[in-house]
Amino acid sequence: MTDRPLRRQPLYSQIKQQLLRRIGDGEWQENDALPSEWDLADELGASQGTVRKALSELVADGLLYRAQGRGTFVAPAPSEWGEGLLLTPGLFNEQPDDLAREFLGISRGNASDDMAAALQLRRAAPLLRVRQLWRWHGIPVAVDEAFLPADEFEGLDARWLRGSSGVYQALQQRFGIRLKVLCEQFRALMLPREESALLGVTGMVAEAPALSLIRISGSMEGVPLEWRQRYCLTHNWAYTARRA
Amino acid sequence: MTDRPLRRQPLYSQIKQQLLRRIGDGEWQENDALPSEWDLADELGASQGTVRKALSELVADGLLYRAQGRGTFVAPAPSEWGEGLLLTPGLFNEQPDDLAREFLGISRGNASDDMAAALQLRRAAPLLRVRQLWRWHGIPVAVDEAFLPADEFEGLDARWLRGSSGVYQALQQRFGIRLKVLCEQFRALMLPREESALLGVTGMVAEAPALSLIRISGSMEGVPLEWRQRYCLTHNWAYTARRA
DNA sequence: AAGTGGTCTAGACCACTAG
DNA sequence: TAGTGGTCTAGACCACTTT
């Protein structure tokens, strides 16, 4: 690249941003192959090594995957359940069972102070609230609330959510936005009344300990866009996080 | 295809392994500077770019850190508490308070089937069991059990653990081994009797929900070496995992 | 000014996949 | 055999820190 008077950001970083935008714009669909590293280098006026560095970061971010000898591909959107897996406690190498998701409803509300702070919104900002139920072999194991800034996602309604396989897929289809997990918090607490009913915890012992998960997700650039709160019953399962 | 020739490890990978070993052998202490990328390249007969790639992976693994214009340094051992932080629920950008660790004791036992499987040991293999208590501003918030293969760590005793700031530091000082987290599991359950006593949960309501964390740690090469089980009281705190 | 990490290039070769 | 990702080199220059 000959004319590049101002370099605020390294070239590979600019290329990464550009590819991020083009993926978001739908230039390549899930599992589509990108142009080869050499073709991209040609097109962008950079060297193969520099393009490769940009691609490597996108692979690390989970947006792309590579197959030696075949090409570089757009990764499928992350599953609605998230990165954690439900496994039998103590076992780590098991394959996770598939979870079924049930859309419960969408409503409007206002941000709590915690939510407003985490999502960088003003106090009591309007939010969309999406509720989902998770079943494992038919048995309810978790309830989910996703809170999204209403201003950003005006037009997201039950039609989009019922038809899609979850909030993340709906956001990608409707707004072309892909979320990634920014941080997570875990707590143990007694299941609140309303969630107990949804999860079918009944009987003389009306209380059960539940794993509370709060997750902030955001754009690939790190702008927070979702506060998700989940209650998991874990007397028969454990929530697993794998690491590289 | 039928014939599977030995695939040579990439050079940067060999360099990484060698540096790993030299760090483990104590050639450079914590916060010591390594030779510059160019000097290492010279010494190892590789190019600066290749050395840089090896160093970058070690930085990503948390073993080294870099400072532009100054050098590449050996990172301090990870804290005994681990990567997760205890924070006020709902707040994500807070700095964590320091936790005080109390060594409770070390004993010998045998691996459960789960532990044996996770640590790749034979059934009922002998284990060392290290127990610790965590206090936050003097208040007990968590109890910890670390299980280590007795055969690997013969000679680790109370003297080493009392004097050090934790299991990880003791392993590094005594055996020159650095552990990294391989995977984690979370569950919510009612605090068992023994742990209730240690954490001072008493009164008419003898039961409290607790966050159960099971973590497998291992060598930098991925060999599992520690099963750690922790019970956290989280009615006033949350367990936070940050992501890149 | 000297030394370090950080970026970028052009070219080369290897390993793997597919037609 | 052609195309792709994966590795490696030598050299250049930039950005930052220390002396």
Side-chain angles (χ1 to χ4, degrees):
Chain A
M1 284 204 159
T2 46
D3 307 83
R4 191 165 292 274
L6 268 185
R7 174 156 58 215
R8 38 188 75 182
Q9 287 233 309
L11 182 53
Y12 73 87
S13 204
Q14 300 175 36
I15 292 175
K16 181 185 172 186
Q17 294 305 316
Q18 182 185 338
L19 291 174
L20 211 47
R21 184 178 51 70
R22 290 166 73 178
I23 293 168
D25 290 349
E27 184 167 341
W28 306 289
Q29 297 302 310
E30 288 185 5
N31 296 311
D32 277 1
L34 267 64
S36 78
E37 295 177 350
W38 285 101
D39 287 352
L40 278 173
D42 246 33
E43 178 195 335
L44 301 169
S47 70
Q48 176 258 0
T50 299
V51 168
R52 182 169 179 78
K53 179 152 187 172
L55 291 174
S56 294
E57 294 210 347
L58 291 169
V59 169
D61 288 342
L63 242 93
L64 300 178
Y65 63 93
R66 287 198 267 228
Q68 175 162 162
R70 297 206 296 127
T72 305
F73 306 85
V74 178
S79 88
E80 176 64 15
W81 175 258
E83 298 175 15
L85 306 173
L86 272 194
L87 290 185
T88 308
L91 296 183
F92 292 91
N93 299 319
E94 233 173 37
Q95 281 306 308
D97 286 274
D98 277 51
L99 290 164
R101 165 194 163 271
E102 185 178 325
F103 171 64
L104 294 179
I106 181 171
S107 59
R108 303 181 75 96
N110 295 294
S112 70
D113 289 354
D114 284 348
M115 294 177 190
L119 297 177
Q120 299 171 8
L121 300 171
R122 64 182 183 282
R123 290 185 56 158
L127 295 180
L128 299 175
R129 172 174 176 256
V130 179
R131 301 218 298 165
Q132 302 179 121
L133 177 69
W134 296 92
R135 292 175 188 273
W136 185 79
H137 293 328
I139 307 162
V141 290
V143 279
D144 235 330
E145 285 181 325
F147 293 93
L148 306 161
D151 296 340
E152 294 263 3
F153 299 114
E154 206 55 63
L156 185 73
D157 58 25
R159 282 184 309 112
W160 287 95
L161 288 160
R162 213 182 304 276
S164 74
S165 71
V167 176
Y168 295 155
Q169 198 197 325
L171 290 182
Q172 181 159 18
Q173 290 176 344
R174 178 70 177 75
F175 299 96
I177 284 182
R178 264 181 96 126
L179 300 189
K180 73 170 176 184
V181 175
L182 300 179
C183 54
E184 287 181 320
Q185 280 192 354
F186 299 93
R187 298 174 72 196
L189 34 71
M190 303 315 289
L191 201 58
R193 204 182 169 69
E194 188 181 2
E195 280 74 16
S196 290
L198 283 169
L199 290 174
V201 176
T202 54
M204 310 215 306
V205 185
E207 293 200 312
L211 181 68
S212 157
L213 180 160
I214 296 174
R215 170 191 294 159
I216 311 293
S217 299
S219 67
M220 296 310 302
E221 294 82 21
V223 181
L225 290 171
E226 181 203 45
W227 171 292
R228 181 166 299 214
Q229 192 150 355
R230 176 177 293 171
Y231 294 96
C232 297
L233 295 180
T234 56
H235 40 279
N236 290 322
W237 307 274
Y239 196 88
T240 294
R242 275 164 216 260
R243 291 168 190 272
Chain B
M1 289 309 147
T2 56
D3 189 42
R4 204 173 267 276
L6 190 65
R7 183 169 30 160
R8 199 186 61 130
Q9 287 257 133
L11 181 53
Y12 73 86
S13 203
Q14 300 176 38
I15 292 175
K16 182 184 172 185
Q17 294 305 318
Q18 182 185 340
L19 292 174
L20 212 46
R21 184 178 52 70
R22 291 166 72 179
I23 294 167
D25 291 349
E27 182 167 340
W28 306 288
Q29 297 302 311
E30 287 185 5
N31 296 311
D32 277 1
L34 266 63
S36 77
E37 296 178 350
W38 286 100
D39 288 351
L40 279 173
D42 245 32
E43 177 194 336
L44 302 169
S47 70
Q48 176 259 358
T50 299
V51 168
R52 183 173 178 76
K53 180 152 186 174
L55 291 174
S56 294
E57 294 209 348
L58 291 168
V59 169
D61 287 343
L63 245 95
L64 300 177
Y65 63 93
R66 288 200 266 231
Q68 175 161 161
R70 297 206 296 126
T72 304
F73 305 86
V74 177
S79 88
E80 176 64 15
W81 175 258
E83 300 176 13
L85 306 172
L86 271 195
L87 290 184
T88 307
L91 296 182
F92 292 91
N93 300 317
E94 232 174 36
Q95 281 307 304
D97 286 275
D98 277 51
L99 289 165
R101 164 193 164 272
E102 185 178 324
F103 171 64
L104 295 179
I106 180 170
S107 58
R108 304 179 76 93
N110 295 294
S112 70
D113 289 354
D114 283 351
M115 293 177 190
L119 297 178
Q120 299 170 8
L121 299 172
R122 64 180 183 281
R123 290 185 55 158
L127 294 180
L128 299 175
R129 173 174 176 255
V130 179
R131 302 216 299 163
Q132 302 179 120
L133 177 70
W134 297 92
R135 292 175 187 274
W136 185 78
H137 294 328
I139 306 162
V141 290
V143 278
D144 234 334
E145 285 181 325
F147 293 92
L148 306 162
D151 296 340
E152 294 263 3
F153 300 115
E154 206 54 63
L156 185 72
D157 58 24
R159 282 184 307 112
W160 287 96
L161 288 160
R162 215 184 302 277
S164 74
S165 72
V167 175
Y168 295 156
Q169 200 197 323
L171 290 182
Q172 179 157 19
Q173 291 176 346
R174 178 71 177 72
F175 299 96
I177 286 184
R178 266 180 95 127
L179 300 190
K180 74 171 175 183
V181 174
L182 299 179
C183 55
E184 287 180 320
Q185 280 193 354
F186 299 93
R187 300 174 72 196
L189 33 72
M190 302 315 289
L191 201 58
R193 205 180 168 70
E194 187 181 3
E195 280 74 14
S196 289
L198 282 168
L199 290 173
V201 175
T202 54
M204 311 215 305
V205 185
E207 293 201 310
L211 181 67
S212 157
L213 181 159
I214 295 174
R215 171 190 294 159
I216 310 294
S217 298
S219 67
M220 298 310 301
E221 293 82 19
V223 180
L225 291 170
E226 181 203 44
W227 170 293
R228 182 166 298 216
Q229 193 148 357
R230 178 176 292 170
Y231 293 97
C232 296
L233 296 179
T234 56
H235 40 276
N236 290 323
W237 307 275
Y239 196 89
T240 294
R242 277 164 214 258
R243 289 167 191 273

